[in-house]
Structures are given as C-alpha cells and as structure tokens.
Amino acid sequence: MSDYAAVQTELLTLRDFLRWTTSRFLEAGLFYGHGNDDAFNEASQLILSSLHLPVNELPALFLDARLSNEEKKNLLGLIEKRIEQRIPLPYLTHEAWFAGLPFYVDERVLIPRSPFAELIDNQFQPWLESPDELGRILDLCTGSGCIAIALAMAFPEATVDAVDISEDALAVADINIKKHELQDQVTAIQSDCWQAIEPQQQYDLIVSNPPYVGAEEMAGLPAEYRHEPASALEAADNGLALVREILLKAADYLSDNGLLFVEVGNSDLAVDAAWPDMAFMWLDFESGGHGIFMLDKAQCLEFKQKYA
C-alpha cells in the first residue's frame, strides 16, 4: 500500500484522481469485461461511486473539487484492490447495471453482462406474437435476478419465476427483488434446474443463462473472472451438461406457443456440433454479444425425441 499512500498528499481533486487512476489502470493491463470498455470509464465509475456521485455522467461541476483525507484513503484502497487483486469493479462498488437498471452484486453471483438485455428491451420482438398477453415467465439460473427483474419490468402483467440451485445466489436475487419492489411479481425458487418446478406449470417464455464454459476455456479466462463463482461459469461435457438438461425437459414446461431462449456464449459452436440435427435459431444483436439460440415447443419436443 506504500505506493498508494505516497500519492495521497499529492492528489487533490477529482480531476487529479481521474487522470492518475486511468494511468495506473492502463499501466496494470487490467481486463475490462464487466461493464466498461476501457481504463478511463473504469476509473470514472470507481471514483464517482466511491464519492457517492452519479456514475452515469462525469460531473464537470465537481472535477476541481478537493477530496477529503478520508475520501482519498477509501478511494486509494479500492484502486489498490482493483489493480493488485484484479477484483472486478462491480464487486468493489456492489453495483452493476443491466437493461438500464441498477443491481446489487457481490461475489456470490456473476456480474451481469448478457445480451439478453437487448432482447428484453425489445420485448423479444419479432418472435413473441402477443407480448402484452404474456402470462408466465421462467428464468432458469437466475443468479443475481437481473434477467428476471428486467423481464418483470418489460412485461408488467406477467409473473416471473427466478430459479437457481444456489442459496447464496438467491439471497442476492432477493435483495434485488426487494430493491425494485417486485415481491408480488417475481418469485425466487431454489431448484436444481427443473427439479423443484411442477410440470403442470406452463410458461409462455423460458429464458436461461446457465453455466456453459468448458474446462479449456475456463483455464484461459482473465484473472478478474476468478473472483466469480466457478459453479456459475463452468459446466461439464465441454460446457454443455446443463444446456442439455434444459433442452431435454423444456417442452414439458412450455405453453403451446411458448418459446425457449438459452445463452451459451462461446459454446455456440459446441452446441451445433453436439446436436447437428437441430435447427437452432441463433440471434444477432445490434449492441454486441452473441451465443443465444431460440427454440419453440415443437422443436424442444423434437430435441427430446432425438437425444433423450
């Protein structure tokens, strides 16, 4: 900490800290895969959050405002953790944004970063025939609850079940459900995939961002990812074990016109290779991201018949 303490008397203003922190982040070669694209934006968000200022816009009014000694000490401690321990920024600030909404996060859950946000913003158009008539939605492997909550916001007339095997993850999901005052619309359920969900429950929309990283890809991930729960990232069978479990039973839970959307990220090629007879519809995204496929109920039945 000595190097960080040495600059405590030299840096005075928010502007000083923004320049110095950006330089240190660039020098350290950090990985920015949890909400920001570069060192400047990462530094801006960390500094503004630590000072309890709005993080979505750099306030010119305060750029030349001086930080108190206590503010400096706290901020330098966060900067040290970001650089020396490679702790992702959202774990330091306990806040992540998804689909334009803020969420509490800690190391019990993955940090939200899914292209599902674009689908939700567009109400899954053009694939959903009648978005306003959507009744029940299931979010499998909900983690922090960010997808389930964003779905509830996008479809206010629908009820949403947020399912995860992890008690720790569901504790965080509960925090976010209460944060957004959605207790009457979103229900957190502990279940090992389909295990605790009654088959008579029929969902018009099922979405899932399950663990899908294979062992080889897992070994090559940047250090920042090591702080996330491995069980929420890695899956057996080259990342496809849980995807297969989802596909085998999805038809039992989909309504007649229901749709299934599953994110598999870089395992998209592995999905096509594992089940070559299936016509997965891979979606494109204007704002970036890839690896989400869609199937309807008939296709899910086809999968069950071919691969059970």
Side-chain angles (χ1 to χ4, degrees):
M1 182 66 186
S2 58
D3 291 342
Y4 298 95
V7 302
Q8 186 167 335
T9 57
E10 300 173 6
L11 303 178
L12 301 176
T13 67
L14 193 157
R15 189 190 302 272
D16 292 340
F17 271 94
L18 180 59
R19 198 286 305 162
W20 184 84
T21 305
T22 301
S23 295
R24 298 290 74 75
F25 283 179
L26 285 168
E27 181 181 51
L30 300 181
F31 177 77
Y32 311 106
H34 295 98
N36 290 311
D37 297 325
D38 54 48
F40 176 78
N41 285 295
E42 186 93 346
S44 298
Q45 188 171 346
L46 177 58
I47 293 168
L48 294 173
S49 179
S50 77
L51 297 175
H52 306 288
L53 293 172
V55 298
N56 52 0
E57 185 176 354
L58 194 61
L61 178 65
F62 297 127
L63 278 175
D64 293 312
R66 295 191 176 196
L67 279 66
S68 69
N69 287 332
E70 189 63 28
E71 288 173 333
K72 291 180 184 181
K73 182 180 178 181
N74 178 58
L75 177 54
L76 287 167
L78 294 173
I79 294 168
E80 180 186 30
K81 288 180 179 179
R82 181 68 186 95
I83 292 174
E84 303 299 333
Q85 299 179 41
R86 289 303 200 264
I87 297 175
L89 176 60
Y91 287 157
L92 297 174
T93 63
H94 293 302
E95 184 175 74
W97 288 77
F98 177 78
L101 300 168
F103 293 93
Y104 172 85
V105 293
D106 60 31
E107 295 188 16
R108 292 174 290 180
V109 296
L110 292 184
I111 297 166
R113 51 182 179 273
S114 170
F116 264 120
E118 184 175 320
L119 289 175
I120 295 169
D121 287 342
N122 295 331
Q123 290 192 309
F124 290 81
Q125 292 297 294
W127 301 284
L128 280 182
E129 293 182 2
S130 304
D132 294 338
E133 298 177 8
L134 209 62
R136 297 182 61 84
I137 302 174
L138 174 63
D139 174 24
L140 277 174
C141 308
T142 193
S144 65
C146 63
I147 291 177
I149 289 166
L151 284 164
M153 295 284 198
F155 303 101
E157 301 304 316
T159 59
V160 183
D161 288 340
V163 170
D164 206 287
I165 190 175
S166 167
E167 287 186 18
D168 284 342
L170 290 176
V172 175
D174 278 331
I175 291 172
N176 284 313
I177 291 168
K178 292 173 183 175
K179 175 184 179 73
H180 292 282
E181 300 182 345
L182 291 170
Q183 298 95 316
D184 293 336
Q185 190 182 357
V186 181
T187 302
I189 301 171
Q190 184 180 14
S191 177
D192 183 356
C193 199
W194 305 105
Q195 188 177 47
I197 307 173
E198 296 297 330
Q200 64 264 27
Q201 297 283 16
Q202 296 290 288
Y203 295 95
D204 302 312
L205 176 64
I206 299 176
V207 303
S208 184
N209 181 11
Y212 56 72
V213 179
E216 184 177 347
E217 183 182 357
M218 191 77 178
L221 291 176
E224 279 82 352
Y225 287 110
R226 303 299 172 190
H227 294 274
E228 296 187 287
S231 61
L233 284 169
E234 188 174 8
D237 190 20
N238 196 28
L240 300 184
L242 193 52
V243 176
R244 174 185 173 86
E245 191 173 347
I246 291 168
L247 288 171
L248 283 174
K249 294 188 177 180
D252 297 338
Y253 295 87
L254 281 170
S255 62
D256 290 342
N257 295 317
L259 296 175
L260 170 71
F261 293 81
V262 181
E263 178 175 350
V264 296
N266 291 333
S267 294
D268 51 356
L269 296 179
V271 166
D272 280 334
W275 304 300
D277 295 333
M278 292 300 301
F280 294 101
M281 177 181 284
W282 295 99
L283 308 184
D284 296 321
F285 298 94
E286 293 182 1
S287 55
H290 69 286
I292 293 181
F293 66 76
M294 182 190 77
L295 295 175
D296 60 23
K297 181 166 185 171
Q299 290 171 309
C300 291
L301 282 170
E302 178 187 353
F303 183 94
K304 185 175 183 179
Q305 292 165 356
K306 288 182 175 179
Y307 297 105

